[in-house]
Amino acid sequence: MQNYIAFCADFYLFCYNKRMKINIGIIGYNYNHEPDFKMDKPEGPGAYLFLLVKSNAIFYINGKRNLVKKNSYVLLQPKTPCMYQGANENYEDDWFFFNITDEEKSELLEKGLVFDTPVFLGNVEEISSLIHQISYNHFSADIYHEEIKILLTSVLFLKTAQQAKLKIIQSPDVLASKNDRLTYLRTRLFEEPALFSGIDEMADFMNLSRSGFQHLYSHTFGVSVIHDVIKGRIEKAKSLLSRTNFSITEISTKCGYKSEFHFMRQFKKETGLTPTEFRRSSSWSQIEKSR
């Protein structure tokens, strides 16, 4: 922890003292591209390109094929040949083109960011929110918008490096036992309810049969995995409804629901309120109304 605090302080001072000139060109937030979308840049994107990949995708980088899981980042260099598209689904991402100096690139490398290689992050909600704020300031005429945009972009790189490091530390490959893996899985159900698509994927993660996994889960925690899946999704939805202005559709997706109707029906069953009613009754809504 002390090392990470020092890492944050050093990078912040670097950005502040040297006025890191992160020159953002074009930026896009929460893009859901057309079904036939394909970005093909055989000569490279022409500038540095940061992509926060929000759907499973296929990337060709320097001629190498990569199956990229949703909730990954890809940081491409200006002359890196690349092509990417959705993998059997619409491609979704946040993205921005930018320019930095060689010295600033070296600083990013030193802090753990990698170029031309997809990196799985897991939970990208906070990073996506930062891109949303960067996008707002990019198009804003408010006072200090440029300075705020530069600092937010620096924080974005820091958070991306942090999340990547945490993901390595918590990687399932290094968890010592089935109990550790099971505890890790249960934590993810509450923190990232959209991470696992279903029981079969969880069973695969545990290297167990479907029935064996369900029995082990119930025996270990005293509740069924379905109980925790629903509870985790509903608690996450409550948090997003209270703290954000995401649409009901966006929240249902972030909470792991494939159908907005299913989300609304289950939310009403568990809480007695529709998502909209809950949002109106929350403190977040009251604050918004008082502005």
Side-chain angles (χ1 to χ4, degrees):
M1 178 59 72
Q2 289 180 336
N3 288 340
Y4 181 68
I5 292 173
F7 154 58
C8 292
D10 287 347
F11 193 56
Y12 176 81
L13 287 172
F14 174 84
C15 296
Y16 183 81
N17 292 331
K18 298 194 177 183
R19 301 297 194 273
M20 196 174 189
K21 296 298 182 182
I22 304 170
N23 182 22
I24 292 180
I26 310 173
I27 185 169
Y29 167 72
N30 213 26
Y31 260 64
N32 188 338
H33 298 270
E34 297 296 324
D36 60 350
F37 169 82
K38 179 189 290 186
M39 180 63 74
D40 191 4
K41 296 290 183 180
E43 304 299 324
Y48 289 97
L49 173 59
F50 181 92
L51 295 154
L52 187 63
V53 182
K54 293 182 169 180
S55 63
N56 294 326
I58 300 172
F59 272 68
Y60 285 86
I61 302 173
N62 284 320
K64 180 181 178 182
R65 186 174 188 266
N66 299 268
L67 294 175
V68 180
K69 291 182 64 175
K70 68 178 181 179
N71 299 337
S72 300
Y73 86 87
V74 182
L75 187 52
L76 296 169
Q77 298 184 83
K79 296 183 180 180
T80 298
C82 60
M83 187 281 287
Y84 53 93
Q85 64 187 71
N88 301 319
E89 57 184 314
N90 284 21
Y91 176 70
E92 298 180 37
D93 63 0
D94 300 336
W95 52 270
F96 60 89
F97 291 89
F98 66 102
N99 286 311
I100 52 175
T101 66
D102 289 342
E103 182 182 4
E104 290 161 347
K105 176 185 174 182
S106 297
E107 188 71 17
L108 295 180
L109 287 168
E110 182 181 329
K111 300 310 178 188
L113 290 166
V114 298
F115 290 85
D116 302 335
T117 302
V119 178
F120 179 63
L121 295 174
N123 189 344
V124 299
E125 183 178 315
E126 190 171 1
I127 296 171
S128 183
S129 178
L130 283 166
I131 294 176
H132 191 189
Q133 295 176 62
I134 292 166
S135 178
Y136 172 83
N137 281 280
H138 182 68
F139 295 107
S140 172
D142 295 345
I143 187 171
Y144 303 132
H145 70 96
E146 190 66 25
E147 290 87 345
I148 292 171
K149 181 179 71 173
I150 290 173
L151 286 174
L152 284 171
T153 308
S154 299
V155 173
L156 167 76
F157 288 137
L158 272 176
K159 293 301 298 184
T160 302
Q162 178 194 47
Q163 186 67 21
K165 288 177 183 291
L166 290 174
K167 204 65 189 176
I168 292 171
I169 294 170
Q170 296 179 330
S171 170
D173 296 332
V174 301
L175 297 178
S177 68
K178 274 191 168 57
N179 282 340
D180 290 333
R181 293 171 72 88
L182 197 61
T183 300
Y184 172 86
L185 183 149
R186 193 186 196 201
T187 301
R188 299 274 70 77
L189 291 182
F190 287 88
E191 294 186 359
E192 303 174 61
L195 183 60
F196 292 101
S197 62
I199 303 297
D200 289 336
E201 187 173 338
M202 297 180 208
D204 288 342
F205 172 83
M206 292 296 302
N207 295 319
L208 293 169
S209 68
R210 181 186 176 96
S211 60
F213 163 66
Q214 290 176 304
H215 175 77
L216 177 63
Y217 195 100
S218 298
H219 178 76
T220 303
F221 300 121
V223 296
S224 71
V225 64
I226 293 298
H227 172 275
D228 276 352
V229 166
I230 294 173
K231 185 177 180 181
R233 288 178 173 182
I234 297 300
E235 291 304 312
K236 186 70 171 181
K238 287 179 180 179
S239 175
L240 292 174
L241 286 166
S242 299
R243 297 187 300 103
T244 76
N245 60 355
F246 289 135
S247 69
I248 302 301
T249 300
E250 288 175 307
I251 290 175
S252 68
T253 300
K254 289 176 182 295
C255 292
Y257 291 94
K258 297 180 180 179
S259 163
E260 181 181 351
F261 174 74
H262 181 207
F263 164 60
M264 292 189 292
R265 183 176 60 183
Q266 192 165 80
F267 191 92
K268 176 69 178 291
K269 179 181 177 182
E270 296 297 320
T271 68
L273 298 171
T274 67
T276 300
E277 289 169 342
F278 180 88
R279 170 169 272 170
R280 287 172 180 168
S281 68
S282 69
S283 58
W284 177 88
S285 180
Q286 298 304 318
I287 292 171
E288 286 296 300
K289 287 179 180 180
S290 67
R291 288 182 178 177

